[in-house]
Amino acid sequence: MTAPLIDPFQRAITYLRLSVTDRCDFRCVYCMSENMTFLPKKELLSLEELDRLCSSFIRLGVEKLRITGGEPLVRRGIMTFFDGMKRHLDSGDLKELTLTTNGSQLERFADDLYAAGVRRVNISLDTLDEAKFAEITRWGRLAQVLRGVDAALKAGLKVKINVVALKDFNEDELFFIAAWCAELGMDLTFIEVMPMGDIGNENRIGQYWSLKDLRTKLDEEFTLTDLPDRTGGPARYMRLEETGQRVGLITPLTHNFCESCNRVRVTCTGEIYTCLGQEGKSDLRAPLRSSEADAPLEEAIRAAIGLKPKGHDFDYSRQELGGQMTRHMSHTGG
Ligand code: SAM
Ligand code: SF4
């Protein structure tokens, strides 16, 4: 038996979030600047390398794999990767294969994803207003994403909608979005905006809408029951009694969730980040490429997890950006 991955704070690492590209067909204002410079293709792990990397993590005890980006579904040939991961689901070693997507390509890929064993997807969608959608994503078209949501539901995928809570932007749509999700049987999660990367001229503190305030607003309209559900991540859940739906709040800035952290992130170039809110990283690409055997890679994974920090330092409390990260969310994959 291979020893499981345990970090210095006795947390078992069972969840890998893997970014398969830094590219995207959108330019969401809180995520990217309009003129992004992307990595040269040769820097990226190949599809075969992504497969070897994930297979090693699974051998070391990872049971849940989330594919993200950039936009994971714009990576050329990505379905080959998903199809390959199915063998780990079939063997029972991998319990869940899932992805976070902006939904733009789901009309094309939803059925194939289901066939590869994916059962749930997170779709990011911050507004149901066409003009506001174009404004926030810069390059996105709402109708295309709505067709993607529809295709995902028709394919049998369970959908969770991720909404970044943005002050003076989608505050007024809170009830409408909740009702839309309830009608289509979709879970809903709100995310607080995080200080990641240079995004050009946008004002980050101006974008920040505390989920505490969002909750107070929801409370005016619905009866909220806190749920004990925990996923090892920053989400807290509640049920809206009137609709029966589960609503999650991801509050990295106002809650400390690090004590139960079970996850690590790997970028599309093979850098492992053991904490979303810290700069510390290790390279897995060199050991991956150094040998056809997986031993050097697995050793590097263990060494990186041996350095996993206790927690993050994000802090907006004094109206300054504390713990600001220089990398973009699209780099580590949100
Ligand atoms: N392109 C895919 C998507 O949008 O779902 C996957 C990658 S995206 C980086 C993952 C998630 O991170 C999305 O839900 C997005 O809204 C969120 N995100 C991006 N930048 C963020 C920021 N600065 N603060 C909070 N969430 C952010
Ligand atoms: Fe692209 Fe997702 Fe970032 Fe929007 S949030 S720019 S869709 S990676």
Side-chain angles (χ1 to χ4, degrees), residues 26-34 36 102 123-127 132-133 135-138 162-166 169-170 191-200 202-204 207-208 316 324 327-330:
F26 292 1
R27 290 289 180 280
C28 302
V29 297
Y30 48 76
C31 179
M32 294 191 182
S33 61
E34 187 143 26
M36 293 288 289
N102 65 24
I123 304 179
S124 307
L125 180 56
D126 303 327
T127 171
K132 277 160 74 178
F133 188 84
E135 182 194 330
I136 200 84
T137 62
R138 293 199 186 99
N162 279 348
V163 177
V164 176
L166 296 162
F169 179 77
N170 52 15
I191 309 174
E192 261 173 12
V193 96
M194 287 179 260
M196 308 285 293
D198 171 23
I199 49 166
E202 304 294 330
N203 171 357
R204 237 184 244 286
Q207 291 174 340
Y208 178 63
Y316 278 118
Q324 164 113 20
R327 66 182 190 266
H328 287 95
M329 193 70 123
S330 53

Side-chain angles (χ1 to χ4, degrees), residues 7-129:
D7 81 358
F9 303 94
Q10 299 308 310
R11 296 169 298 193
I13 305 306
T14 55
Y15 181 9
L16 169 64
R17 296 170 76 107
L18 172 68
S19 169
V20 294
T21 178
D22 62 333
R23 288 164 199 255
C24 187
D25 51 345
F26 292 1
R27 290 289 180 280
C28 302
V29 297
Y30 48 76
C31 179
M32 294 191 182
S33 61
E34 187 143 26
N35 303 308
M36 293 288 289
T37 311
F38 293 112
L39 295 161
K41 294 227 167 75
K42 64 175 184 348
E43 296 275 316
L44 301 192
L45 298 184
S46 67
L47 294 174
E48 294 73 21
E49 287 168 339
L50 291 172
D51 188 306
R52 269 185 66 200
L53 181 90
C54 291
S55 301
S56 290
F57 271 102
I58 293 165
R59 214 164 20 247
L60 296 175
V62 160
E63 296 181 336
K64 177 170 174 180
L65 180 58
R66 177 175 297 280
I67 305 306
T68 175
E71 175 45 43
L73 296 179
V74 302
R75 170 85 194 246
R76 191 184 297 240
I78 194 63
M79 281 318 304
T80 309
F81 168 80
F82 277 102
D83 289 342
M85 286 300 107
K86 185 165 187 297
R87 69 185 188 279
H88 297 302
L89 288 169
D90 292 342
S91 73
D93 293 339
L94 184 63
K95 305 275 184 284
E96 184 169 34
L97 173 62
T98 183
L99 70 154
T100 301
T101 171
N102 65 24
S104 69
Q105 308 302 313
L106 276 175
E107 198 178 14
R108 213 165 116 214
F109 289 126
D111 287 329
D112 296 343
L113 288 167
Y114 191 90
V118 174
R119 292 294 174 266
R120 298 197 301 156
V121 288
N122 287 358
I123 304 179
S124 307
L125 180 56
D126 303 327
T127 171
L128 289 170
D129 178 284

